[in-house]
Structures are given as C-alpha cells and as structure tokens.
Amino acid sequence: MTAAPSATAFPITRSATPVPAAERAARMENPIFGKVFSDHMGYAVWREGEGWGEHQIAPVANLPLHPGAAALHYGQQVFEGLKAYRWADGSVALFRPDANAARMARSAERMALPAFPEADFLAALDALVALDEPWVPSAPGTSLYLRPALFGSEPSLLVVPPLEVTYTLTACTVGAYLAPSKQGASIWVTRDYHRATEGGTGEAKTGGNYAGGMRATQQAHEHGCSQVLFLDAKHGRFVEEFGAMNFMAVRRDGSIVTPRLSGTILPGITRDSLLTLFRDEGREVEEKDIAIDELIADVRTGEITEIFACGTAAIITAVGQLKSDDFDVTVGTGEPGPVTVAALTRLTDIQYGRAEDPHGWIRKVV
Ligand SMILES: Cc1ncc(COP(=O)(O)O)c(C=O)c1O
C-alpha cells in the first residue's frame, strides 16, 4: 500500500490589521454573496521546471499581476467553490472537499494548467478556515464560501500553456440559502445562447464558461426571470444546466430525472450528493437526455411535479416557472414541492452536523 502524499506546509503570516470584531460583525450581518472577504488568503506559485512553491497563508492583498498575464488575455483559469459550515457545537466542517480537489485537477488538465495537489488543496483549506474561523457565521443556513483558483500569471502574450501559474484561496462570509417557503424561481430557457459544446470546456469549472453565459443571464432578467436554463448546442433540444447550477426534476411517482453527464455540463458535487441520498431512500434515479418539448408537456400534464436547481452556493432552488419564446408553464403549484424541501433538509442536516454522515463526506476543520 502506498501512503497518500503528504501536504506541503502553508506558513502563516497573520494580518497586522485584521478587520476589528465590531466591523466584522457588521459586515457579516447581511452579506452580499462574494463581497465580504475574510482577513487572509492562500497563495502558491507554480513555475515550469520547478513545480509548486511559495505556499503561504497571508493577509488578503492585491496581487502583483503584470498586465500581460496570460489569464487576463486567454482565460487560462479554473476555480472551485465549497463551503465551511458552523455546527451547533461551535465546530466547523467542510463538505466533500476531496471532490472539489479532484474536480479542480480535472478542470486544470482540460485547460492545460498544472494540477494543484489534493493534499495541498486540503491543507490550505484547513489552515485558512482555522485562521479565519471568526468569519464563519452561525446564523441558520449561513456559511463561509471558499474559492480556490488557478490562473496563468506569466507575463506572455503567446497563446501557449503558461510557464507560471498562481494559486489563490479566498473566503467570503455568505448568507442563508433561500428559505424553502419562498416562491419558486422563474427560469428563462434560452434558445439564442449555448453554454457548451461537445469537446469544449463545459465540464471544466473555468471562467470562460461563465463569461459566455452572462449575456444569457441578462436576457433572462430582461424576460423577468432570475436564472437561465441552457439547452444542448448540437440539437438545441436537450436540457443541460442552469447558469451555475445543475437541473433535477421529480416525477409524479417520486422518481428523479436529471441530465446525464454528457461532457458538456459541470459534474456538480451537490448533484452527486443528492442523487446518492435519493438512491439511499429508495427512489429511482434516471440520468438521461431530457428533451425540453417533452419536459414542458410533462409539466403541463402534471407528470413532472417538481423541478429544482442544485449547487453549492444556493444548495437547492425550487423552480416555479419555465418560460421561453414558445411556452410559459408553472411547475406544480409554483412553490417548492415536498421532495425539493425534503432534499434541502436532508442535505443541509448532514452539512451542518444535525444528521449522521453516512458517506464520510464531512471533514472537521475546527
Ligand atoms: C455551471 C455549474 N453547474 C453546476 C454547479 C453545481 O456544482 P456544485 O454542486 O459542485 O457546486 C455549478 C456550481 O459550482 C456550476 O457553476
């Protein structure tokens, strides 16, 4: 048996000017997603021929980035998103960080970037969350959102894999996911834009996928919808995913249907966790191509009773309406249905330590 590779140490430089406790509490009161950064960050640099070095946890600061840095021009960038959850006993836990590490390695390979070793990915998370633990909120449903990223930082306008890559890890206090009692979201199904193509970068978590989707989200807003749903690029017919969440539907018989991982959608960790929990409770789960015309017909007849979006940031968002140029349908009652609400409870109970963790998904940090 070979031992797991050990992590590189991340020496800590504490901020000389951390946000004072009263100001921190004020910022954490009602945080806008992704705006309330903690005091510190993780950092490392990879250089061709040298590998990874300069590992550190340091005060959050602007980076010394040359305007010719590769990522600014050619989008050589990948990232991850996961959360640290405060438990009732005051401890703090991460949820499946090993899955994020593995996905970032796959994304990096697709974008011709060097992998950041899993042991270091986890060590940096442990160190940053322990140091910035006061930024982990305790109000129900809140958390510390963690954002590892890799980007080509070499000053070079050559269109080649970069010879220097920077790793950063930032953390943001985030508010509660939407309460399940709220009205379901209105979704615009775009026929004008596609997120990904076969052989493209759809299953990598890379910035360009999101940049390319922004116009579609604007279009959704113009139609009075909060989010966009993308269809496949080849046929313009099969449901892929939302702008930053995976798609799931519930049939009248309680079974679950979700798009298969075709290579053009992001393999969500929330998606995988929910499918596992649904199977645990004996539900039939089908991963398949879902044609939008059949889906709309099934929503109209009541064969599909619930639809929801799932992902780390918002966990689960119930879908109330699906709209496009040629349809406008209400899903079920338009409010979050029982399977959606129960799934949110089941998953968050594990994440917040209120229920047993049957699959070993929890990593205690503090
Ligand atoms: C495009 C896209 N799909 C799906 C997801 C859901 O993935 P996860 O559950 O791992 O957060 C995300 C969020 O990270 C995403 O950006």
Side-chain angles (χ1 to χ4, degrees):
M1 203 175 117
T2 51
S6 57
T8 311
F10 281 78
I12 292 174
T13 306
R14 281 178 177 271
S15 171
T17 54
V19 176
E23 168 65 15
R24 184 178 64 233
R27 290 188 198 176
M28 289 171 70
E29 190 70 31
N30 256 322
I32 297 176
F33 186 91
K35 295 259 193 188
V36 176
F37 288 93
S38 69
D39 288 314
H40 299 91
M41 63 185 281
Y43 181 83
V45 179
W46 176 92
R47 291 193 179 82
E48 174 72 25
E50 296 175 23
W52 286 102
E54 300 181 35
H55 303 75
Q56 53 188 297
I57 303 287
V60 168
N62 293 343
L63 299 171
L65 203 62
H66 190 283
L72 298 179
H73 301 268
Y74 307 127
Q76 291 147 314
Q77 187 270 1
V78 300
F79 66 101
E80 270 304 325
L82 69 162
K83 287 174 167 176
Y85 302 90
R86 174 83 68 188
W87 288 17
D89 64 1
S91 61
V92 178
L94 302 175
F95 183 73
R96 305 190 69 181
D98 50 327
N100 293 95
R103 188 171 64 188
M104 192 161 87
R106 293 197 304 273
S107 297
E109 187 187 14
R110 175 64 186 85
M111 302 306 290
L113 294 171
F116 193 64
E118 176 173 336
D120 295 348
F121 185 98
L122 297 175
L125 289 170
D126 290 352
L128 183 68
V129 174
L131 183 62
D132 280 346
E133 186 254 326
W135 291 92
V136 185
S138 52
T142 60
S143 56
L144 184 70
Y145 183 81
L146 297 154
R147 170 52 61 86
L150 301 179
F151 62 92
S153 47
E154 184 200 3
S156 167
L157 301 182
L158 274 177
V159 186
V160 293
L163 301 179
E164 180 193 293
V165 173
T166 297
Y167 156 85
T168 56
L169 170 63
T170 45
C172 292
T173 300
V174 296
Y177 42 81
L178 285 185
S181 57
K182 295 241 173 90
Q183 194 66 18
S186 281
I187 304 297
W188 181 254
V189 182
T190 180
R191 300 205 188 261
D192 296 334
Y193 304 105
H194 297 283
R195 181 183 166 278
T197 55
E198 278 176 29
T201 59
E203 68 181 348
K205 204 161 166 59
T206 182
N209 291 339
Y210 299 81
M214 301 264 174
R215 176 64 199 116
T217 303
Q218 270 182 342
Q219 189 191 50
H221 294 166
E222 287 159 15
H223 288 279
C225 295
S226 59
Q227 286 192 48
V228 65
L229 181 63
F230 290 103
L231 302 177
D232 79 292
K234 194 168 176 181
H235 308 93
R237 185 166 180 231
F238 298 105
V239 172
E240 298 230 302
E241 60 184 320
F242 301 96
M245 296 178 95
N246 290 118
F247 176 100
M248 282 197 197
V250 183
R251 291 204 196 91
R252 200 195 321 248
D253 65 3
S255 62
I256 307 294
V257 58
T258 191
R260 71 186 168 90
L261 297 178
S262 58
T264 56
I265 67 176
L266 192 83
I269 293 158
T270 316
R271 173 191 182 279
D272 182 73
S273 307
L274 288 171
L275 293 184
T276 303
L277 295 174
F278 283 135
R279 288 188 176 111
D280 285 355
E281 60 188 39
R283 283 182 198 277
E284 196 194 316
V285 169
E286 231 188 320
E287 299 177 61
K288 56 175 278 206
D289 291 336
I290 302 172
I292 187 70
D293 44 339
E294 290 167 18
L295 179 78
I296 297 303
D298 286 349
V299 168
R300 286 200 168 112
T301 61
E303 171 59 22
I304 294 285
T305 53
E306 301 176 43
I307 293 177
F308 62 88
C310 60
T312 297
I315 319 253
I316 287 181
T317 301
V319 171
Q321 270 84 38
L322 287 174
K323 300 183 191 180
S324 194
D325 296 320
D326 50 338
F327 57 79
D328 183 344
V329 295
T330 297
V331 183
T333 61
E335 290 174 7
V339 178
T340 304
V341 174
L344 177 65
T345 305
R346 178 83 185 95
L347 182 60
T348 54
D349 278 355
I350 296 173
Q351 291 169 331
Y352 287 93
R354 296 184 294 258
E356 200 203 326
D357 167 26
H359 298 283
W361 287 338
I362 293 298
R363 181 182 176 93
K364 276 302 194 69
V365 180
V366 176

